[in-house]
Amino acid sequence: PKSATHRAALGARASMVVIHADCDCFFVQVHRRLDPCLAQAPLVVQQHNDTIACSFEARALGLQKRMRPGEIRRLHPGVTLVHVPTVELPEGDPELHAARAALPPDAAMPEKASYQKYLEESQQIFGLIRSHIQASCPFEVASNDEAFFVPSASDLSSQSGGQSDELEDAKQLALKLQAVVRRDLGYDVSFGCGANKLLAKLASTSAKPFGVGTLRADDPAFERIPLMRLPGCGMGSNTFAAVMGALQRAATAAPPTLGEVRSVLGAPALRQLLGPGLEAMSRGVDERAVAPWSAPRSVAVQMHLSGSKLEAMGMAARRRARGDVGRSPQYYYPLVPGHGGQFQAVARAPNELGCVLGADGPADHATLGICPTSTSE
């Protein structure tokens, strides 16, 4: 069910179906589109000392987001790692001033990660999807790789001539949009269709990779969905821990399903643990409207420097000045704490989207999260 506000916002010609578009391994796909040599092979996208995306081939090896890049290299030296694009700190930036104060005069200045290229690709994908539905349809770009939209009644009726229900018509529309995006842009996008944003997103998640799914609140498949799929209920969240405690389960036990949580705890206890909004979602009810909002046209750089990071950079610069590591034109990356303060110098070959870091690439970019560049290149 939709709220009265939502019904008014959708307009008379809007359907009561929400479609969720989710780009499969978006960061990986962007790099592969720009460098076809990266296709098919296990690929990991890193941002400094963090892993932000793994291809399906890499996931099959047990790799996942948030792993340390150095750990990935040790466990799977054949996996290719690419770094997100980086940009120089602009003149006048307070962090650039702090870096200059902390580093020797001849030290390379740090760079920041930028998502601008990903944003440009995202705009192409969602712009193409929007061009194939009614312009008046609510369309919400939730992030660089996912969007929600409500197709119009005419968008859906054109799929079957009004002979099928809206959810089945939405699936056929999603299949056509999926084919268009792959044909025109080369991107794989999964779609989910449901009566609200929650059901649509759960449907697209279940359809991955490169699938189209539908989900209803009264579908037995909904009962089997893990609790951690609800917003804010991930395995590391306080909400998840509270539910596991109420179920008297160890934190390492198998995650409970939505049907299990509702049947064991009951609506009153679950509402107290989750709050009314999440308790409603556990029943497949989601009152959130699809808002005609889109991501900003430009993306700020993605990290900030702290005093401790600058201090670590200064240590690295002084170490290089003593000749302890490498020579120009190379890029230097500090190791993570616990490695005795050692540093390793490595060469990197920049391409259009940062650099490809193979088995011989640098060690971890450290908790300081910087990507210093060579001043001689």
Side-chain angles (χ1 to χ4, degrees), residues 262-341:
R262 292 202 318 274
S263 64
V264 173
L265 298 180
L270 199 56
R271 190 175 297 111
Q272 184 175 4
L273 285 171
L274 302 180
L278 283 178
E279 187 277 327
M281 285 187 178
S282 74
R283 295 182 278 109
V285 177
D286 184 4
E287 294 289 334
R288 296 175 300 169
V290 175
W293 178 89
S294 61
R297 295 185 178 275
S298 62
V299 177
V301 286
Q302 299 297 311
M303 72 84 177
H304 301 276
L305 301 174
S306 68
S308 59
K309 293 174 182 177
L310 293 174
E311 181 180 359
M313 290 168 54
M315 291 172 59
R318 289 189 290 273
R319 194 174 175 85
R320 293 196 300 274
R322 295 196 301 268
D324 290 358
V325 293
R327 293 176 301 175
S328 299
Q330 294 187 333
Y331 293 65
Y332 302 91
Y333 298 81
L335 296 174
V336 295
H339 289 262

Side-chain angles (χ1 to χ4, degrees), residues 3-332:
S3 65
T5 303
H6 194 181
R7 290 176 183 272
L10 297 183
R13 298 188 61 195
S15 69
M16 297 304 292
V17 176
V18 176
I19 298 180
H20 180 243
D22 194 344
C23 302
D24 300 337
C25 297
F26 175 64
F27 295 98
V28 169
Q29 286 200 75
V30 172
H31 285 272
R32 284 177 167 173
R33 184 170 184 247
L34 295 172
D35 186 355
C37 294
L38 300 175
Q40 307 305 322
L43 182 65
V44 169
V45 180
Q46 69 177 95
Q47 179 175 324
H48 306 307
N49 194 41
D50 190 19
T51 296
I52 64 170
C54 298
S55 68
F56 288 109
E57 298 86 356
R59 294 181 192 182
L61 299 175
L63 304 182
Q64 55 187 338
K65 291 193 294 185
R66 308 279 82 89
M67 290 182 69
R68 290 287 178 89
E71 180 184 5
I72 293 175
R73 294 186 191 92
R74 288 190 293 272
L75 296 175
H76 299 281
V79 171
T80 300
L81 289 92
V82 296
H83 200 283
V84 301
T86 57
V87 296
E88 294 182 356
L89 291 166
E91 286 294 333
D93 190 303
E95 293 176 356
L96 180 60
H97 176 75
R100 285 174 173 165
L103 298 176
D106 59 344
M109 290 296 104
E111 291 187 344
K112 286 186 176 182
S114 171
Y115 281 17
Q116 186 62 41
K117 186 61 181 177
Y118 304 122
L119 175 62
E120 293 169 1
E121 298 298 302
S122 171
Q123 290 173 337
Q124 287 193 58
I125 294 170
F126 296 134
L128 180 61
I129 292 174
R130 294 191 72 164
S131 71
H132 282 76
I133 60 175
Q134 291 288 330
S136 59
C137 295
F139 199 102
E140 176 184 342
V141 179
S143 67
N144 279 346
D145 61 351
E146 63 176 330
F148 296 91
F149 60 96
V150 180
S152 68
S154 60
D155 286 326
L156 298 185
S157 62
S158 64
Q159 306 305 311
S160 65
Q163 301 303 310
S164 301
D165 66 17
E166 284 192 335
L167 204 57
E168 182 58 33
D169 286 341
K171 180 177 180 179
Q172 296 305 314
L173 173 61
L175 285 168
K176 291 183 179 180
L177 295 173
Q178 187 182 63
V180 167
V181 174
R182 171 176 270 189
R183 181 196 68 202
D184 293 357
L185 298 177
Y187 282 105
D188 289 343
V189 181
S190 291
F191 288 83
C193 312
N196 53 49
K197 292 173 73 172
L198 172 70
L199 294 174
K201 184 174 177 64
L202 292 174
S204 67
T205 300
S206 300
K208 284 178 173 290
F210 193 56
V212 175
T214 62
L215 187 63
R216 303 176 190 269
D218 58 358
D219 191 324
F222 178 77
E223 300 297 302
R224 298 191 295 270
I225 290 175
L227 170 69
M228 61 186 183
R229 294 276 183 87
L230 294 186
C233 294
M235 293 185 67
S237 67
N238 292 334
T239 301
F240 183 86
V243 172
M244 293 295 279
L247 293 173
Q248 298 183 345
R249 290 190 183 180
T252 55
T257 64
L258 296 178
E260 185 180 5
V261 167
R262 292 202 318 274
S263 64
V264 173
L265 298 180
L270 199 56
R271 190 175 297 111
Q272 184 175 4
L273 285 171
L274 302 180
L278 283 178
E279 187 277 327
M281 285 187 178
S282 74
R283 295 182 278 109
V285 177
D286 184 4
E287 294 289 334
R288 296 175 300 169
V290 175
W293 178 89
S294 61
R297 295 185 178 275
S298 62
V299 177
V301 286
Q302 299 297 311
M303 72 84 177
H304 301 276
L305 301 174
S306 68
S308 59
K309 293 174 182 177
L310 293 174
E311 181 180 359
M313 290 168 54
M315 291 172 59
R318 289 189 290 273
R319 194 174 175 85
R320 293 196 300 274
R322 295 196 301 268
D324 290 358
V325 293
R327 293 176 301 175
S328 299
Q330 294 187 333
Y331 293 65
Y332 302 91

